[in-house]
Amino acid sequence: MNIPSGYLYTKEHEWVKLEGDIASVGITDFAQGELGDVVFVQLPSIGSKAVQGDSFGTIEAVKAVAELYSPLSGEVVEVNSELSATPEIINREPYSSGWIVKIRPTNFEAERLNLLSPEAYKDLTSA
């Protein structure tokens, strides 16, 4: 299972990577593996507000439909529109071109304390 360093994780299996003042968000390799073939992703609107721990969309796969939970609070500044036509990108490249939304965090330093390091996420998924 791929758990890259340089990312933070939620217990709900989302990842977040901060680059400058923008955080990219997606689901983990573990999550996409558990879901199976992704067939649809409901994306939030650009400009909508994300709240840490709240749902911002859904992901539908062959095996299940799951909520997507925001790892950070802030404004959604970009959505991955390629997922509308090719949602299976998430299965192939969950940490790169399979990103789901980009958020401009409003309270990153405080909220990062609620996220997991790669090592802690590995412990969570191997338990």
Side-chain angles (χ1 to χ4, degrees):
M1 175 175 32
N2 185 11
I3 303 175
S5 61
Y7 292 68
L8 296 170
Y9 300 89
T10 69
K11 292 179 182 174
E12 291 77 25
H13 309 290
E14 286 82 14
W15 59 259
V16 59
K17 183 173 185 179
L18 186 68
E19 295 173 290
D21 65 343
I22 302 296
S24 298
V25 175
I27 65 166
T28 66
D29 186 40
F30 175 84
Q32 69 81 21
E34 291 292 305
L35 287 169
D37 295 338
V38 175
V39 296
F40 179 75
V41 181
Q42 179 188 28
L43 300 168
S45 302
I46 294 173
S48 63
K49 300 296 180 199
V51 176
Q52 187 178 45
D54 285 0
S55 174
F56 68 83
T58 58
I59 186 166
E60 184 176 337
V62 173
K63 294 181 184 175
V65 176
E67 296 285 326
L68 295 165
Y69 296 99
S70 183
L72 299 169
S73 298
E75 178 185 359
V76 175
V77 295
E78 190 174 348
V79 297
N80 189 348
S81 58
E82 289 187 38
L83 296 177
S84 297
T86 53
E88 64 273 15
I89 295 171
I90 290 175
N91 294 111
R92 290 194 313 260
E93 300 175 3
Y95 297 108
S96 55
S97 58
W99 64 274
I100 297 171
V101 297
K102 293 189 179 185
I103 296 172
R104 184 184 321 276
T106 54
N107 198 13
F108 180 77
E109 289 306 318
E111 291 183 341
R112 73 180 300 168
L113 300 175
N114 300 323
L115 301 173
L116 303 173
S117 68
E119 296 77 20
Y121 185 70
K122 183 178 180 181
D123 290 345
L124 175 75
T125 55
S126 63

